[in-house]
Amino acid sequence: MPTPIDFYFDFSSPYGYIAAEKIDALAAKFGRATDWHPVLLGAVFKETGMVPLTAIPIKGDYSKHDFARSARFHDVEFRMPEKFPIATQTPARIMLWLKAADPARAVRVATALLRAYFVHGIDISDADHALAVVAKQGVDRAAARAAIGDPAIKDALKREVEAALARGVFGSPFVFVDGEPFWGLDRFDQVERWLARGGF
Amino acid sequence: MPTPIDFYFDFSSPYGYIAAEKIDALAAKFGRATDWHPVLLGAVFKETGMVPLTAIPIKGDYSKHDFARSARFHDVEFRMPEKFPIATQTPARIMLWLKAADPARAVRVATALLRAYFVHGIDISDADHALAVVAKQGVDRAAARAAIGDPAIKDALKREVEAALARGVFGSPFVFVDGEPFWGLDRFDQVERWLARGGF
């Protein structure tokens, strides 16, 4: 069995969202599974001294234009949220909590959360809003609310972010194929060739 | 006549170098000419508060790995220069000086300078080394040396960088197709679709 493709993303990352809409089909094309890892770019940026893309002069304006154009290019529905960026502990904790029991379900719920934010502008950093989204996916609202505040889940997310950093993750999306690192939606063409040829 | 594609690059930018090896063929596929503009990323980074890619923790190491992999992906010869990054006033001034008389020749000489640096590790920030490279392209060495120190050429480069910044250029390579901005070698797939469809 080939190893799964590790897929790292932040729930507030537009390129991470578009990549999330693509990664499972890309992996499946080569008989691969995926392993989704929510990370917190805020914590990652602290390590690298980086700032959110949209906060950079000149580059920030271009980025907003490029988010929308890249979504059209990849045929993914996208609307720039009014509140951006957002803290993503809440959706990340819900995802990690679900993942422990059922990774495939965690991916479905994560996808619903990403679409809620990047298509419908719902502020998923807010627990009530995030819970309304996941409840529609059949997740028990009270159990999910408890998970958001559960010290064990908080700790699991902290460890996930630390492990990502230790592995060299510095942005979203970030993919590993058999240990080879790829940063960015715009490396998916290289990811595809790597999967097809086993490296190049 | 369709307008030429504006191509901005810094002589010390690995992705700019790979893009320089690709842009003319891409443009020609759609019956377009190109207009090459050397810029100084140092001056650009001052405006945006950015730093050279390789100076960023974690991301820097990945970038060096990605330069080489992206060159292989695009089938372009590449060897990471020992001295990196370098100041690029010297090659940029030579190019602007040549461009005034013969843009096509300026592109050929610029390509020779880029290959000297990114394939053979020649430090083209050094006037003697840069002049040796351009002399092999039939450029008069004494005239080129005079151009490097010519206040009018220095001023022309300054104006070129200011015009680039005013247009929103914040990195290398940077391309405009009929006013539409594309940053990065990894947007060449979008540049191609834009050229094919007149936008998307």
Side-chain angles (χ1 to χ4, degrees), chain B residues 20-192:
Chain B
E21 296 281 350
K22 298 286 171 186
I23 188 68
D24 280 11
L26 177 57
K29 205 172 148 181
F30 299 95
R32 298 280 191 128
T34 55
D35 188 358
W36 288 36
H37 304 269
V39 290
L40 304 174
L41 277 191
V44 171
F45 286 172
K46 241 183 239 167
E47 290 291 313
T48 57
M50 289 166 70
V51 296
L53 209 47
T54 50
I56 302 169
I58 311 177
K59 191 173 178 177
D61 289 333
Y62 170 85
S63 295
K64 285 180 207 159
H65 182 76
D66 188 66
F67 295 157
R69 188 178 61 200
S70 292
R72 294 196 305 274
F73 183 75
H74 290 286
D75 203 19
V76 168
E77 204 176 348
F78 174 84
R79 202 164 56 88
M80 187 67 196
E82 267 182 49
K83 192 177 165 191
F84 179 89
I86 53 171
T88 52
Q89 278 85 352
T90 294
R93 285 179 195 155
I94 294 173
M95 185 181 184
L96 279 189
W97 165 64
L98 290 170
K99 193 180 165 186
D102 185 344
R105 190 181 182 215
V107 165
R108 284 195 302 277
V109 172
T111 302
L113 284 163
L114 286 165
R115 288 178 187 165
Y117 182 49
F118 285 112
V119 179
H120 304 292
I122 295 167
D123 176 7
I124 56 170
S125 70
D126 178 280
D128 289 333
H129 290 154
L131 292 169
V133 171
V134 304
K136 275 192 203 161
Q137 302 296 315
V139 175
D140 183 88
R141 201 185 287 239
R145 189 184 295 278
I148 294 168
D150 183 344
I153 302 291
K154 288 184 182 182
D155 206 54
L157 178 57
K158 234 176 151 175
R159 285 198 310 273
E160 183 82 270
V161 173
E162 280 164 11
L165 270 169
R167 220 179 163 185
V169 171
F170 58 82
S172 165
F174 210 101
V175 162
F176 289 90
V177 179
D178 305 329
E180 180 73 10
F182 296 92
W183 168 50
L185 170 66
D186 36 36
R187 284 297 171 278
F188 273 33
D189 51 359
Q190 295 194 22
V191 168
E192 179 154 9

Side-chain angles (χ1 to χ4, degrees), chain A residues 15 44 47-50 53 56-60 62-63 65-66 69-75 165 168-170 174 180-184 186-187 189-190 193-194 200, chain B residues 15 44 47-50 53 56-60 62-63 65-66 69-75 165 168-170 174 180-184 186-187 189-190 193-194 200:
Chain A
Y15 298 126
V44 170
E47 289 292 313
T48 57
M50 290 165 71
L53 210 47
I56 301 170
I58 311 177
K59 192 173 178 176
Y62 170 84
S63 295
H65 182 76
D66 188 65
R69 188 179 60 200
S70 293
R72 293 196 304 274
F73 183 75
H74 291 286
D75 203 19
L165 269 169
V169 171
F170 58 82
F174 211 101
E180 181 73 10
F182 297 91
W183 168 50
D186 38 36
R187 285 296 171 280
D189 51 359
Q190 294 194 22
R193 190 181 297 179
W194 199 274
F200 59 81
Chain B
Y15 298 125
V44 171
E47 290 291 313
T48 57
M50 289 166 70
L53 209 47
I56 302 169
I58 311 177
K59 191 173 178 177
Y62 170 85
S63 295
H65 182 76
D66 188 66
R69 188 178 61 200
S70 292
R72 294 196 305 274
F73 183 75
H74 290 286
D75 203 19
L165 270 169
V169 171
F170 58 82
F174 210 101
E180 180 73 10
F182 296 92
W183 168 50
D186 36 36
R187 284 297 171 278
D189 51 359
Q190 295 194 22
R193 189 181 297 178
W194 199 274
F200 58 82

Side-chain angles (χ1 to χ4, degrees), chain A:
Chain A
M1 265 298 283
T3 51
I5 292 170
D6 283 308
F7 173 66
Y8 294 81
F9 71 104
D10 182 299
F11 276 97
S12 183
S13 160
Y15 298 126
Y17 155 64
I18 301 170
E21 296 281 351
K22 297 287 170 185
I23 189 67
D24 280 12
L26 177 56
K29 204 171 150 181
F30 299 95
R32 299 279 192 128
T34 55
D35 188 357
W36 289 36
H37 304 270
V39 290
L40 304 174
L41 277 190
V44 170
F45 286 171
K46 241 184 239 169
E47 289 292 313
T48 57
M50 290 165 71
V51 296
L53 210 47
T54 49
I56 301 170
I58 311 177
K59 192 173 178 176
D61 288 333
Y62 170 84
S63 295
K64 284 180 209 159
H65 182 76
D66 188 65
F67 296 157
R69 188 179 60 200
S70 293
R72 293 196 304 274
F73 183 75
H74 291 286
D75 203 19
V76 168
E77 204 177 348
F78 174 83
R79 202 165 56 91
M80 188 66 196
E82 267 181 49
K83 192 177 165 191
F84 179 88
I86 53 170
T88 52
Q89 278 85 351
T90 294
R93 285 179 195 154
I94 294 173
M95 184 182 185
L96 279 188
W97 165 65
L98 290 171
K99 193 180 165 185
D102 186 344
R105 188 179 183 217
V107 165
R108 284 196 303 275
V109 172
T111 301
L113 285 162
L114 286 164
R115 289 178 186 164
Y117 182 49
F118 285 113
V119 179
H120 304 291
I122 296 166
D123 176 7
I124 56 170
S125 70
D126 178 279
D128 288 333
H129 291 153
L131 291 169
V133 171
V134 305
K136 275 193 204 160
Q137 301 297 314
V139 175
D140 183 89
R141 199 185 286 239
R145 188 184 294 278
I148 295 168
D150 183 344
I153 301 291
K154 288 184 182 182
D155 207 53
L157 178 56
K158 233 175 152 177
R159 284 198 312 273
E160 184 81 90
V161 173
E162 280 163 11
L165 269 169
R167 220 179 162 185
V169 171
F170 58 82
S172 164
F174 211 101
V175 162
F176 288 90
V177 179
D178 303 330
E180 181 73 10
F182 297 91
W183 168 50
L185 171 66
D186 38 36
R187 285 296 171 280
F188 273 33
D189 51 359
Q190 294 194 22
V191 167
E192 178 153 10
R193 190 181 297 179
W194 199 274
L195 283 164
R197 303 191 186 170
F200 59 81

